[in-house]
Amino acid sequence: MDFSYPPEVEQFRKELRGRLMSEAVVALAHRPSRFSFPALLRPALAAAAILVLVLAGATSAAASSLPGDALYGVKRASEDVRLALTFGDVARTELLSELTDRRLEELAELAKRRPSSAPTATQEYADAVERFADALDNLRDAESEDKRAAAQALAEAARAKHKAVLDAVKEQLPAEAQSDVQKVNDDEQQRTSPANYPGRPGQGGSGGGRPSNAPAKPTPKR
C-alpha cells in the first residue's frame, strides 16, 4: 500500500523545498568564484607592484655603478629609456652631452679605483662621444639659427671640459691604456672642433653651415 502524507503536510513539504531551492540559487549567485577575473587580477596587481618596487630599487642602486659592475646594465637601460622619451633635437643633444659627461666621470673614477677596467670605460665614453657628435652634426645642419647656435655652444663647452679631464685621467692609467684615451680625446676634439660650427668671427664664417672642407650642398633648381 502506498504511503502518502496528509494534504497539509504535503503542502508544507512543497513550500519548504521551494524556499530552500530559492535561497540556494541566491546564495550561489553571490558567492565569489575563485576563478573570477577580479580574483585573478589581485595577485597580478600585487606582483606588478612588487616588480615596480624592485625595479625602482635596482635603478637607484645602479645609479652609482661603474662599467664592469653587475648593475651597470640597469643604469644604461634607464638612460636609454630617458633618451627615448626626450623629444626635440636640442633637448636630446643636451641629454647626450649630459650622458657623455657621465661616461667621463665614470672613466675618471675607475682610473683611481680600478684602472684594470679603464678599457671598458674608455669604450663606453667613446661610444657616448660618437652619439653626441652625431647629434651635434644634425643641429649644425638645421635650418634654424637657434639650433645651430645651440650646437656651437654645446660643442665648445664639451670640447674644453672633456679635454681637461681626459688629460688628467690619462696620467693615472697604465701605459697600455693611455694611448686609447688619447685617441678618444683626439677624435672628440676633431668632431667638436669650432671649425665645424662656424658662426662667430674668426671661426670660419658667420651664420652656421657645414665645415669648410665638406662638400657644398647643390643649389636647388628653380
Side-chain angles (χ1 to χ4, degrees), residues 1-11 13:
M1 181 177 66
D2 295 335
F3 176 80
S4 60
Y5 290 103
E8 60 273 13
V9 175
E10 185 66 28
Q11 181 65 28
R13 288 179 68 250

Side-chain angles (χ1 to χ4, degrees), residues 54-63 65 69-81:
V54 170
L55 291 177
T59 302
S60 177
S65 62
D69 292 346
L71 289 177
Y72 189 70
V74 176
K75 178 179 181 178
R76 291 300 313 278
S78 66
E79 292 174 350
D80 289 341
V81 170

Side-chain angles (χ1 to χ4, degrees), residues 8 10 65 74 80 103 112 118 137 147 155 175 185 206 209 221:
E8 60 273 13
E10 185 66 28
S65 62
V74 176
D80 289 341
R103 300 290 87 84
K112 295 184 295 183
D137 287 344
K147 289 185 177 181
N185 192 359
S206 58
K221 295 181 180 180

Side-chain angles (χ1 to χ4, degrees), residues 116-153:
S116 61
S117 297
T120 302
T122 301
Q123 185 59 53
E124 291 284 350
Y125 178 68
D127 292 342
V129 168
E130 187 72 16
R131 297 174 73 184
F132 174 49
D134 287 344
L136 286 175
D137 287 344
N138 290 334
L139 286 183
R140 180 201 66 200
D141 290 337
E143 296 294 333
S144 169
E145 184 176 350
D146 290 341
K147 289 185 177 181
R148 295 196 300 267
Q152 180 172 311

